[in-house]
Amino acid sequence: MQGLSINAMRVGWKYRLRNFDETFEFETLKKLNSENFLLKDLHTLEKYELHDLVKFGRGGDFEISEL
C-alpha cells in the first residue's frame, strides 16, 4: 500500500505512521524543517519529533496515512 511522503504532511492534520510493526497516531504541531515535525501523540498526548520515530530507519512496512 502506498502512503504519503513526509513532504506531503501538513501542520494541524492527524496521521497514522506504521514502521517496523509499530503504529503511531499523532497530530502535527509544527514543521521544524523539510523532513521533521513536532508531533503530539493522540493517545498519550506526549510530544516528540517525527525524527525520533524514524531514526532507526524505515522498515518494509513504512507508511504514513491521514486519519
Side-chain angles (χ1 to χ4, degrees):
M1 197 182 277
Q2 188 71 8
L4 297 172
S5 72
I6 292 174
N7 295 336
M9 293 172 56
R10 301 291 177 247
V11 173
W13 291 30
K14 296 177 183 175
Y15 298 95
R16 175 180 296 126
L17 181 139
R18 290 193 175 118
N19 195 25
F20 293 114
D21 294 325
E22 291 187 280
T23 301
F24 304 92
E25 293 182 341
F26 54 83
E27 178 181 357
T28 55
L29 299 177
K30 181 179 178 181
K31 188 169 188 169
L32 301 174
N33 60 46
S34 64
E35 293 286 320
N36 199 12
F37 286 85
L38 179 63
L39 311 174
K40 180 176 73 173
D41 190 284
L42 295 179
H43 302 288
T44 65
L45 305 179
E46 176 184 4
K47 293 180 183 177
Y48 48 83
E49 294 183 20
L50 179 61
H51 174 75
D52 294 334
L53 297 181
V54 295
K55 67 182 173 185
F56 297 114
R58 297 179 183 183
D61 62 342
F62 182 83
E63 180 183 33
I64 300 172
S65 56
E66 280 184 46
L67 290 180

